């Protein structure tokens, strides 16, 4: 992995100093300092505006992978080189001599850029458990630096990157670093998947607050019907439309075949910042 590109994570000795007013108050680090300002890695690399996003959700198992895949599918349909990233995957099995994770496989299947799995999923953990627990079982400490460096490698090889988070927005990755810190350090616009079920209104509003508290922008949300029939689903969606302060990008019904293509039929991403206009090269 190359480390000499502009914007690639610098060794700690070279990290920028945080200045507040005239006072030097500390040194920005890419991990273990969640209170520091976001590190706009791609912007720092001097790249032109491009579509990339961080997909989070109100919970685990509510459709983040389905939505991330749908976004990738839509990007590919626009004729751009799109790559998914599941930086931390917990729950892997060995098939044909290689480690596999369902989320990672679905994202790979929906994109059209082939990258080594060591980049698209730098932390592929065997145990289907909370990531910091699954990592500890393998004697691994999840760290921001390999993830950010991998993101830059992927971004350099593609036009658009879709990063799927893990579980909800604030899942611990190590003792001092969680998925919200990761989103902040990637400095990506956030898309929130709301799994429509009882309790989702509060989960969604709390997540939106946490996203704003990190200085990130919630660019849109998608309602996903994870349950066959939720009572008052329309009313829940309306309550969130009124309160979330970001556009509803779509509502995905309970699908008989929950594929990227099927889900993509129900989302409209055209209004998102830097969404690509159609290229006819594919
Ligand atoms: N609208 C839907 N219709 C039918 N099945 C769905 C729908 N949304 C999600 N599912 C199914 O629910 C399960 C969980 O969805 P998904 O894997 O996308 O959730 P997730 O939020 O990414 O979960 P995790 O936290 O494990 O990453 C999957 O089996 C998926 O196919
Ligand atoms: Mg997933």
């Amino acid at each position: 992995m190359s480390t000499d590109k502009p914007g690639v994570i610098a060794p700690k000795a070279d990290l920028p100093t945080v200045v507040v007013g005239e006072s030097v108050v500390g040194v920005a680090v890419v991990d273990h300092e969640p209170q520091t300002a976001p590190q706009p890695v791609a912007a720092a690399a001097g790249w032109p505006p491009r579509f990339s996003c961080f997909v989070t959700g109100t919970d685990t198992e509510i459709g983040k992978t389905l939505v991330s895949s749908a976004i990738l599918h839509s990007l590919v349909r626009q004729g751009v080189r799109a790559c998914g990233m599941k930086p931390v995957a917990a729950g892997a099995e060995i098939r044909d001599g290689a480690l596999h994770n369902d989320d990672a496989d679905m994202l790979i299947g929906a994109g059209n850029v082939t990258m080594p799995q060591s980049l698209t999923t730098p932390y592929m953990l065997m145990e289907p458990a909370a990531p910091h627990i699954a990592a500890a079982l393998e004697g691994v400490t999840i760290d921001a630096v390999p993830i950010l460096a991998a993101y830059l490698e992927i971004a350099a090889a593609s036009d658009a990157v879709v990063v799927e988070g893990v579980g909800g927005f604030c899942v611990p990755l190590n003792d001092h670093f969680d998925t919200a810190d990761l989103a902040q350090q990637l400095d990506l616009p956030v898309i929130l998947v709301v799994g429509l079920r009882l309790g989702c209104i509060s989960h969604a509003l709390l997540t939106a607050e946490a996203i704003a508290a990190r200085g990130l922008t919630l660019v849109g949300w998608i309602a996903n019907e994870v349950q066959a029939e939720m009572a008052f689903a329309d009313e829940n969606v309306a309550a969130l439309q009124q309160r979330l302060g970001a556009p509803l990008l779509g509502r995905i019904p309970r699908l008989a075949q929950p594929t990227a293509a099927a889900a993509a039929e129900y989302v409209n991403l055209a209004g998102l910042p830097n969404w690509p206009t159609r290229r006819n090269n594919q």
Side-chain angles (χ1 to χ4, degrees):
M1 179 183 305
S2 96
T3 53
D4 57 354
K5 292 192 200 112
V8 168
I9 310 314
K12 287 195 175 174
D14 295 329
L15 287 167
T17 303
V18 174
V19 179
V20 176
E22 298 299 312
S23 313
V24 176
V25 295
V27 172
V29 294
V30 292
D31 60 347
H32 309 304
E33 289 281 344
Q35 72 276 23
T36 55
Q39 309 269 320
V41 286
W47 292 336
R50 56 166 60 214
F51 179 81
S52 287
C53 66
F54 185 91
V55 177
T56 192
T58 45
D59 205 345
T60 186
E61 290 284 304
I62 48 73
K64 292 183 303 297
T65 304
L66 183 66
V67 165
S68 301
S69 304
I71 296 170
L72 286 163
H73 180 88
S74 303
L75 285 163
V76 171
R77 264 199 326 216
Q78 292 298 101
V80 304
R81 297 170 303 157
C83 188
M85 188 178 184
K86 174 81 182 181
V88 180
E93 59 183 25
I94 299 173
R95 281 200 309 271
D96 304 325
L99 274 177
H100 283 274
N101 165 270
D102 290 345
D103 289 17
D105 286 351
M106 190 163 178
L107 297 184
I108 289 168
N112 61 353
V113 176
T114 305
M115 298 294 286
Q117 189 165 270
S118 58
L119 293 179
T120 51
T121 303
Y123 293 98
M124 176 79 82
L125 305 164
M126 297 300 291
E127 192 69 22
H132 72 292
I133 296 170
L137 287 172
E138 296 178 28
V140 169
T141 301
I142 300 171
D143 189 64
V145 174
I147 299 174
L148 299 181
Y151 173 81
L152 282 170
E153 292 253 340
I154 294 166
S158 50
D159 303 310
V161 187
V162 176
V163 182
E164 184 191 338
V166 189
F169 190 60
C170 295
V171 170
L173 296 177
N174 69 33
D175 287 351
H176 311 282
F177 173 61
D178 64 19
T179 48
D181 299 325
L182 176 62
Q184 188 183 38
Q185 289 174 11
L186 287 166
D187 196 24
L188 292 176
V190 180
I191 293 176
L192 171 63
V193 183
V194 176
L196 287 181
R197 60 183 177 212
L198 194 59
C200 70
I201 295 176
S202 179
H203 282 149
L205 296 177
L206 286 169
T207 305
E209 276 193 23
I211 291 166
R214 301 290 172 145
L216 296 172
T217 305
L218 177 63
V219 289
W221 65 284
I222 291 170
N224 184 33
E225 298 188 10
V226 280
Q227 288 179 349
E229 284 175 29
M230 179 200 180
F232 305 108
D234 292 350
E235 290 82 350
N236 277 256
V237 172
L240 285 171
Q241 275 187 287
Q242 200 182 351
R243 292 168 175 81
L244 265 180
L248 175 62
L249 305 173
R251 179 168 166 180
I252 304 173
R254 187 80 194 156
L255 297 167
Q257 302 288 334
T259 62
E265 294 298 317
Y266 297 92
V267 294
N268 180 359
L269 306 163
L272 289 174
N274 300 323
W275 185 256
T277 50
R278 180 160 181 78
R279 291 183 196 167
N280 292 318
N281 57 355
Q282 289 198 345

